[in-house]
Amino acid sequence: MRIHFIIHEHFEAPGAYETWAKKHRHTITYSRVYLGEPLPKCTEDIDFLIVMGGPQDPVTTIEQCPHFDTKGEQAVIAQAIYESKVVLGICLGSQLIGEALGARYEHSPEREIGKFPITLTKDGITHPLFDHFGTVLEVGHWHNDMPGLTPDAKIIAFSEGCPRQIVAYNDLVFGFQCHMELTKEVVALLIENTDLSEAKDYRFVQNPEVLLSHNCDEMNEKLHGFLDKLESFYKSKN
């Protein structure tokens, strides 16, 4: 499998997504745009396009952030979707998928930073790629916004603080507002680059000590199970 990551900042690392790809010895390429690396010119040589998160939002301009080209990324995403490639978006990446499909992102009702449960909808519980998640699963969060919904999109999971945690846009395109890829190392990087001084003012924002105490193993394993199933499904179609 040929997997391409678009990474917006060094502290928004691929974590468990990259671990899975390396474990299966997939071919991995990167657009680390914060280092000036270019976006892929085409997606013909990509099977999985994984677009990571970042402090930007889909309307951040090049003047505001010179290394972030929202229109360019949306064009790459749209091309990959058109070519029936797997497209996964995490946090900002999920919002960019929605935008590429004509669905505007929105602010989440609550800011969420920490480890909190998501609840699967009926569509999630019965979806063959998510049926191993169970009804409720504790996962990582680090966001203020959420992806837009197309007419055909299905909400797979929600949380108390955000009604769109996992969205299925079609059988190969998924937006994860939640961060199931988090590891202790990635959490430490995020803490170093996030202002948590007002954590006590938010219901769903945990302090650094609590954030670093979480075990990420279960959610990483569930994510890997999803990726295994998604890979098998993609191969069955190609």
Side-chain angles (χ1 to χ4, degrees), residues 64-84:
Q64 292 170 317
C65 181
H67 66 256
F68 176 62
D69 178 5
T70 183
K71 294 301 183 183
E73 291 196 25
Q74 289 176 44
V76 172
I77 290 168
Q79 181 181 13
I81 293 173
Y82 176 76
E83 294 178 352
S84 298

Side-chain angles (χ1 to χ4, degrees), residues 58 94-106 146-151 153 164 169:
S94 70
Q95 298 154 27
L96 289 168
I97 289 174
E99 294 279 332
L101 293 171
R104 294 301 302 272
Y105 88 104
E106 298 179 50
M146 61 184 182
L149 298 178
T150 61
R164 303 171 193 169
Y169 289 98

Side-chain angles (χ1 to χ4, degrees), residues 12-17 52 90 178-183 186 219-220 223:
E12 293 274 1
Y17 287 101
M52 299 305 301
I90 297 85
C178 55
H179 288 267
M180 296 182 67
E181 82 282 1
L182 293 182
T183 64
V186 176
M219 69 177 178
N220 291 167
L223 176 63

Side-chain angles (χ1 to χ4, degrees), residues 32-206:
R32 289 168 286 220
V33 297
Y34 63 93
L35 294 177
E37 296 178 352
L39 297 172
K41 292 181 178 180
C42 70
T43 58
E44 182 179 347
D45 296 327
I46 297 171
D47 297 305
F48 276 43
L49 176 67
I50 303 179
V51 186
M52 299 305 301
Q56 303 86 356
D57 59 44
V59 296
T60 297
T61 66
I62 290 179
E63 289 74 24
Q64 292 170 317
C65 181
H67 66 256
F68 176 62
D69 178 5
T70 183
K71 294 301 183 183
E73 291 196 25
Q74 289 176 44
V76 172
I77 290 168
Q79 181 181 13
I81 293 173
Y82 176 76
E83 294 178 352
S84 298
K85 304 304 177 82
V86 172
V87 182
L88 301 178
I90 297 85
C91 199
L92 171 60
S94 70
Q95 298 154 27
L96 289 168
I97 289 174
E99 294 279 332
L101 293 171
R104 294 301 302 272
Y105 88 104
E106 298 179 50
H107 297 307
S108 176
E110 299 278 355
R111 186 184 190 196
E112 291 178 299
I113 295 178
K115 189 179 182 184
F116 303 104
I118 57 172
T119 300
L120 271 70
T121 63
K122 181 179 179 181
D123 285 325
I125 291 171
T126 58
H127 197 293
L129 301 184
F130 295 96
D131 56 10
H132 64 293
F133 275 31
T135 304
V136 178
L137 179 66
E138 288 214 347
V139 301
H141 305 268
W142 213 286
H143 74 100
N144 299 293
D145 300 319
M146 61 184 182
L149 298 178
T150 61
D152 296 328
K154 294 181 179 180
I155 296 176
I156 298 297
F158 63 92
S159 68
E160 185 178 352
C162 178
R164 303 171 193 169
Q165 286 289 355
I166 302 176
V167 177
Y169 289 98
N170 66 35
D171 290 342
L172 294 172
V173 181
F174 299 90
F176 284 72
Q177 187 57 58
C178 55
H179 288 267
M180 296 182 67
E181 82 282 1
L182 293 182
T183 64
K184 285 188 179 294
E185 293 76 17
V186 176
V187 170
L189 284 172
L190 285 164
I191 290 171
E192 289 176 11
N193 292 274
T194 305
D195 182 3
L196 295 171
S197 60
E198 298 180 351
K200 64 181 184 302
D201 297 331
Y202 296 90
R203 288 199 299 158
F204 300 108
V205 177
Q206 297 171 333

